[in-house]
Amino acid sequence: MQPNPLYPEPNYPPQPPNPQPRPGGIRRILGKSWVRYTLVGVIAFGIGVAAGGGSKKDDDKQNAAAEAPQPTVTVTVTVTAPPPKDAPAPATSQAPAPAAPATSTAPATSAAPAKATIPGDGTYTVGDDIQPGTYKSTGNNGCYYARLKDTSGDFGAIITNNISDGSVTVTISKSDGAFQSRGCKEWTKTG
């Protein structure tokens, strides 16, 4: 083949010989950026799991505290009976002997009538803690409320629920088991 006079071959300077590769090592491996980024990511993930991971033992302690039995309240009432109308008046100046005290073991919650207002946060039993009817709460920001079949805490116990801002109105039926409210202002009965 003959040289082309229009395009002569360039004269490149001589190239040095290829250097011998250095023996492997940690610096050579970490010298690659993708290895460094992968290693940093794995370490950061491990720290995140260690910091955020709770054990089942901690969850069991919290659940046991939430499911602790509630104390029973016993109310003791002492009643003095008036003397009968046809009983003779005492001949001495001594006071009559007091009557035997009457006791009641009914829980205190059953003695109190259901309220016409509902405090903002809590779960309230319909008929015991609150009356059925229509309630209104105003000035709310992120108010969660739910009408419940019962107080089991199961998802299936929710009849209806909502999260609202501003003024909120809800009608609690006689058939509802409970009413739950979180982040709401006081509820006032309107009907």
Side-chain angles (χ1 to χ4, degrees):
M1 180 163 171
Q2 301 228 353
N4 188 344
L6 294 176
Y7 298 102
E9 284 192 38
N11 291 328
Y12 293 114
Q15 297 293 323
N18 286 338
Q20 292 293 337
R22 293 188 300 171
I26 192 75
R27 289 184 183 201
R28 183 170 154 233
I29 293 172
L30 293 178
K32 300 188 185 297
S33 62
W34 67 270
V35 173
R36 280 185 288 185
Y37 293 128
T38 303
L39 186 61
V40 169
V42 168
I43 290 171
F45 178 75
I47 291 172
V49 167
S55 69
K56 183 166 176 29
K57 190 180 292 184
D58 293 339
D59 293 341
D60 289 342
K61 286 180 185 176
Q62 291 174 352
N63 289 340
E67 295 173 4
Q70 299 298 320
T72 302
V73 177
T74 303
V75 178
T76 303
V77 179
T78 304
V79 179
T80 7
K85 291 183 182 180
D86 50 327
T92 62
S93 63
Q94 289 181 333
T103 60
S104 170
T105 58
T109 55
S110 65
K115 298 178 182 178
T117 60
I118 304 172
D121 288 348
T123 302
Y124 308 96
T125 306
V126 177
D128 291 337
D129 300 328
I130 60 171
Q131 301 172 358
T134 301
Y135 291 83
K136 185 173 186 177
S137 179
T138 57
N140 294 301
N141 186 13
C143 166
Y144 170 80
Y145 62 94
R147 293 175 44 219
L148 306 171
K149 293 178 188 174
D150 53 46
T151 57
S152 65
D154 293 335
F155 183 74
I158 298 173
I159 298 169
T160 183
N161 64 349
N162 198 1
I163 298 177
S164 299
D165 294 333
S167 180
V168 181
T169 303
V170 64
T171 300
I172 300 171
S173 302
K174 291 179 185 178
S175 61
D176 293 357
F179 176 73
Q180 184 179 36
S181 173
R182 285 194 309 241
C184 304
K185 305 283 182 169
E186 182 177 70
W187 296 86
T188 306
K189 190 170 184 185
T190 60

